[in-house]
Amino acid sequence: MIQRRSLLISGATTALGALISGKATASTRGSTPHLPPLRKGARLRAINPGTWIEPDTAFDALIDRCAAEDWTLEIPPSVTEQWRYFSGRDQERAGELARAWTDPSIDAVISLGGGWGSARVLEAGFEFPRRPKWSLGFSDSCSLLLAQWAAGLPGAIHGSTSGPEDQWQRTVDLLKGRPVAPLDGRGIVPGVGEGFLVVTNLTVGTHLIGTPWMPHLDGTILVLEDVGEAPYRVDRMLTQWRSAGLLDKVAGVACGRFSWMEDDIRPGDFSMEEILENRLGGLGVPLVVNLPIGHGLPNQALPLGQRARLDGRHGRLALLP
């Protein structure tokens, strides 16, 4: 059986006040300035805050994609270093992340790889500087995306560097400040909710509960996805979110792709969709499932912190200007 470890690593490797000391509140988020769009000549820095990747991994396709936009992507040797199953020791990875974020000439930070380990960088003492910056990642890097938004900083995008051209183009449009098309799924609970987007892998977000890096979810549109987790484990995690009160005041919930092994479900077990509906359908807010995001294709990019509208009747998630 393919284990969650290989699913996470392969999925993410192919995807190549209230600001710092506390969590952002609704009022501070509302006054957070927008980032200027990436323009020609922008400099991007690659990082690998989690699990090691093969030292002979080729990044030519991503470099070429950035070059087509007249962006320069810098890939330091540290992205392919290894310490046990991490890409370097915790302090080393934290240092690489800090250098990327504090360099005023770097306009965006892109996470390569995945697996696990990003939360250890936060534990090692990394703190986001007060200067906002674009960042791109998903999977294990959701810990950094969530922490960035919890620090009150805009610019975090949940998305992949790989995939088909139209998927990459959506990411480019977000980085350039252009409008993007709504995402369509299947409506489960009708109604319309509006709020700031919070997008995360469910497992990664669950392990940030109780830490300073988990943002407040009151009034937000929460989007969840996961890979390699059986329905009973998703049930257990969502029960934790409910019991911790995190879902009490959300404005809406949407689910991207949830994938698992067929033999994780036995006759008589709940299906994944039944678990999602059972745990998320009684919150009194719109619920949409099957959005095209998460591990696998397509993995359409979504920006944390941007206002969005979730339509539970039509199964649609749209970004608001």
Side-chain angles (χ1 to χ4, degrees), residues 186-226:
R186 188 168 75 86
I188 299 293
V189 178
V192 175
E194 293 185 4
F196 293 104
L197 270 179
V198 175
V199 190
T200 185
N201 174 271
L202 175 62
T203 299
V204 173
T206 299
H207 288 91
L208 289 189
I209 293 175
T211 73
W213 309 298
M214 186 66 174
H216 289 301
L217 300 180
D218 293 1
T220 65
I221 301 295
L222 176 65
V223 183
L224 301 169
E225 63 84 30
D226 216 323

Side-chain angles (χ1 to χ4, degrees), residues 156-158 170 174 183 197 199 223 293 300-304 317:
I157 294 178
H158 181 282
R170 178 184 175 91
L174 288 173
L183 299 182
L197 270 179
V199 190
V223 183
I293 72 162
Q300 303 289 9
L302 285 174
L304 279 74
L317 176 66

Side-chain angles (χ1 to χ4, degrees), residues 56-115:
D56 59 351
T57 300
F59 302 106
D60 295 351
L62 179 56
I63 293 173
D64 290 345
R65 277 182 160 177
C66 291
E69 306 300 329
D70 201 13
W71 300 338
T72 299
L73 175 62
E74 302 175 1
I75 304 181
S78 59
V79 301
T80 55
E81 291 180 358
Q82 181 181 2
W83 174 60
R84 300 298 179 93
Y85 48 64
F86 297 123
S87 63
R89 297 178 182 274
D90 295 344
Q91 291 294 342
E92 293 170 344
R93 304 196 316 279
E96 287 293 327
L97 187 58
R99 281 186 284 274
W101 267 86
T102 57
D103 187 336
S105 69
I106 298 298
D107 301 292
V109 178
I110 295 181
S111 292
L112 306 177

Side-chain angles (χ1 to χ4, degrees), residues 7 226-230 257-261 272 295:
L7 284 167
D226 216 323
V227 63
E229 296 289 2
R257 190 174 297 104
F258 279 76
S259 56
W260 64 97
M261 298 293 101
M272 184 66 77
H295 293 75

